Amino acid sequence: MLRLPPFALHQPTTVAEAVATLKEFAPDVRVISGGTDLLPNMKLAQTKVSHLVSAKFLDELHGITRTDTHVRIGAATSLQTLAEDEDVRELLPALAYAASRIASPQIRQMGTLGGNISLDTRCRYINQSELWREALGGCLKSHGSECHVVPGGQGCVAALSADTVAPLIAYGAVAEMASVLGPRRAPVQELFQQDGTWHVRIAREELLVAIEIPIPAPQTRVAYRKWSVRQSIDFPLVSVAVRLDVADDVLTGGLVVVSALGPRPRVLTLERLAGSAIDESLAEALGQMVHERARPLPNLPYDAEYRRERMVVEVRRAVRVLAGLPERPLPVPR
Ligand SMILES: Cc1cc2nc3c(=O)[nH]c(=O)nc-3n(C[C@H](O)[C@H](O)[C@H](O)COP(=O)(O)OP(=O)(O)OC[C@H]3O[C@@H](n4cnc5c(N)ncnc54)[C@H](O)[C@@H]3O)c2cc1C
Ligand code: SF4
């Protein structure tokens, strides 16, 4: 049985108290929200820290509010609340759907949006016991000097595996952080960097407070699709969000966001397709575009070439959903 190592739990009741505690103990500290990612990683000795700062009693981090222009979601809002919230389901349906597809009902009750955004990267060589990793000689993320995914590579390419990130980027979400230096805002798209050992640009002494999402224009359509082996609980092995900005039934812009590749999502803009009809040929064009410009790595436990084909299929399916076209069956595996 894997045991949790000892740690001190801090339970602040204000954001000011929380960020002061983070500052005092950084870098030997983490925020804990639902603990559904952090605690397993501590048991695996993938994360080693002595202090945890709980988000549980920070009122500012809980709940969903709506104004005329934005939806604001506290970072410690549970995934289940997010999936069921009427405003989110009406205005940001792809985000509600992504939250509803995470893990299992129990994990969605505990897990939070902030924890999902800050979820540690995943790799077939790191999500193992310490004994298993040491037997392999470790890797760049775990006491070693070699990456087993990209031999000779200089950086860790473990995969961002959070389901909410692609739809948040597609909706143009902005993250609000706090630290002893004061508040800071950054588009979610800019929160990620190409370093699987610390891929989120949120410092250890910072607290993610909330996510603010502009209410999309009526003509904007967003869809999220995820592929995993077991539909009921697995992390995504490929995930895509497609945003189509439409006027008079033709495309004016948009994005394709592909995640579960490396440490940061791939974001492709659609300006060069402006003027296209929202139909089958657009589904084919976007499928072709991601095939050329995004490539899964052998970092997750499934064949990378199959994941590449699957990524194309999911992009086409997302466009078909947005165009109101019927789904097509999967191609026969070669
Ligand atoms: C069996 C299983 C299946 C899973 N399946 C999926 C899945 O399909 N898709 C998916 O996306 N995830 C999945 N997860 C991962 C996890 O449950 C979710 O990502 C969840 O949203 C994490 O939220 P949490 O509140 O539990 O995070 P925690 O475990 O509390 O924290 C995770 C990380 O975020 C940081 N953090 C948390 N809150 C803040 C904050 N406010 N400010 C700064 N840093 C913060 C923590 O320090 C930590 O580094 C799965 C987990 C398990 C155990
Ligand atoms: S991508 Fe390479 S360095 Fe990163 S966890 Fe996997 S094997 Fe280790």
Side-chain angles (χ1 to χ4, degrees):
M1 191 175 74
L2 293 170
R3 303 182 75 94
L4 260 181
F7 58 87
L9 178 65
H10 305 266
Q11 298 184 298
T13 53
T14 64
V15 167
E17 197 188 333
V19 297
T21 312
L22 289 170
K23 173 75 179 164
E24 182 179 353
F25 296 108
D28 188 22
V29 63
R30 291 283 188 288
V31 178
I32 179 163
S33 258
T36 61
D37 183 54
L38 184 61
L39 296 180
N41 290 345
M42 287 173 69
K43 286 184 176 182
L44 291 171
Q46 187 181 321
T47 303
K48 294 182 178 177
V49 285
S50 315
H51 296 270
L52 299 183
V53 175
S54 170
K56 188 171 179 181
F57 302 107
L58 303 174
D59 290 347
E60 220 178 301
L61 271 68
H62 292 266
I64 301 174
T65 50
R66 171 185 176 172
T67 66
D68 289 345
T69 54
H70 290 85
V71 175
R72 188 174 186 278
I73 305 168
T77 303
S78 79
L79 297 167
Q80 193 64 30
T81 302
L82 187 59
E84 290 177 353
D85 184 83
E86 282 184 13
D87 286 334
V88 178
R89 287 166 69 99
E90 178 199 337
L91 301 169
L92 310 164
L95 179 61
Y97 174 71
S100 77
R101 291 291 320 280
I102 292 173
S104 62
Q106 293 93 331
I107 292 173
R108 288 195 294 276
Q109 293 288 356
M110 291 298 293
T112 64
L113 179 62
N116 192 247
I117 292 168
S118 315
L119 180 71
D120 201 357
T121 51
R122 297 184 63 77
C123 171
R124 62 206 306 176
Y125 300 101
I126 194 79
N127 298 111
Q128 307 284 353
S129 69
E130 194 168 34
L131 187 66
W132 191 101
R133 299 195 307 265
E134 279 175 359
L136 200 67
C139 72
L140 297 176
K141 195 171 175 177
S142 169
H143 314 108
S145 55
E146 198 188 344
C147 174
H148 306 291
V149 173
V150 184
Q154 298 301 305
C156 169
V157 291
L160 168 68
S161 303
D163 273 299
T164 62
V165 168
L168 284 173
I169 293 174
Y171 281 121
V174 173
E176 292 176 20
M177 275 75 64
S179 74
V180 292
L181 301 175
R184 177 172 80 90
R185 289 166 64 87
V188 173
Q189 184 174 340
E190 291 169 18
L191 273 190
F192 300 94
Q193 58 191 9
Q194 193 63 19
D195 176 1
T197 66
W198 191 260
H199 68 304
V200 191
R201 289 191 173 118
I202 300 177
R204 288 195 169 107
E205 53 266 55
E206 275 188 316
L207 177 72
L208 179 58
V209 175
I211 300 295
E212 194 177 78
I213 308 161
I215 293 176
Q219 293 274 48
T220 294
R221 309 175 194 177
V222 181
Y224 177 69
R225 292 199 64 96
K226 149 187 192 172
W227 176 69
S228 55
V229 177
R230 296 172 299 180
Q231 295 297 307
S232 59
I233 193 159
D234 275 351
F235 287 90
L237 294 174
V238 160
S239 74
V240 301
V242 175
R243 171 195 176 126
L244 303 181
D245 298 326
V246 182
D248 300 327
D249 292 330
V250 296
L251 191 74
T252 56
L255 296 175
V256 177
V257 187
V258 189
S259 195
L261 300 172
R264 70 175 170 205
R266 189 93 172 85
V267 182
L268 307 174
T269 57
L270 304 184
E271 271 69 32
R272 72 181 174 88
L273 291 169
S276 304
I278 313 298
D279 59 12
E280 189 65 45
S281 60
L282 183 65
E284 292 301 320
L286 296 201
Q288 183 68 30
M289 182 193 267
V290 293
H291 192 264
E292 285 165 9
R293 294 173 58 192
R295 190 166 199 142
L297 296 163
N299 47 8
L300 294 178
Y302 218 80
D303 180 66
E305 277 309 307
Y306 181 75
R307 285 169 51 221
R308 190 180 189 193
E309 297 300 323
R310 200 59 212 229
M311 171 184 78
V312 173
V313 168
E314 297 305 337
V315 167
R316 288 196 197 122
R317 285 183 165 183
V319 178
R320 287 195 189 105
V321 168
L322 297 176
L325 298 166
E327 280 205 5
R328 280 211 204 142
L330 275 176
V332 178
R334 289 178 295 232

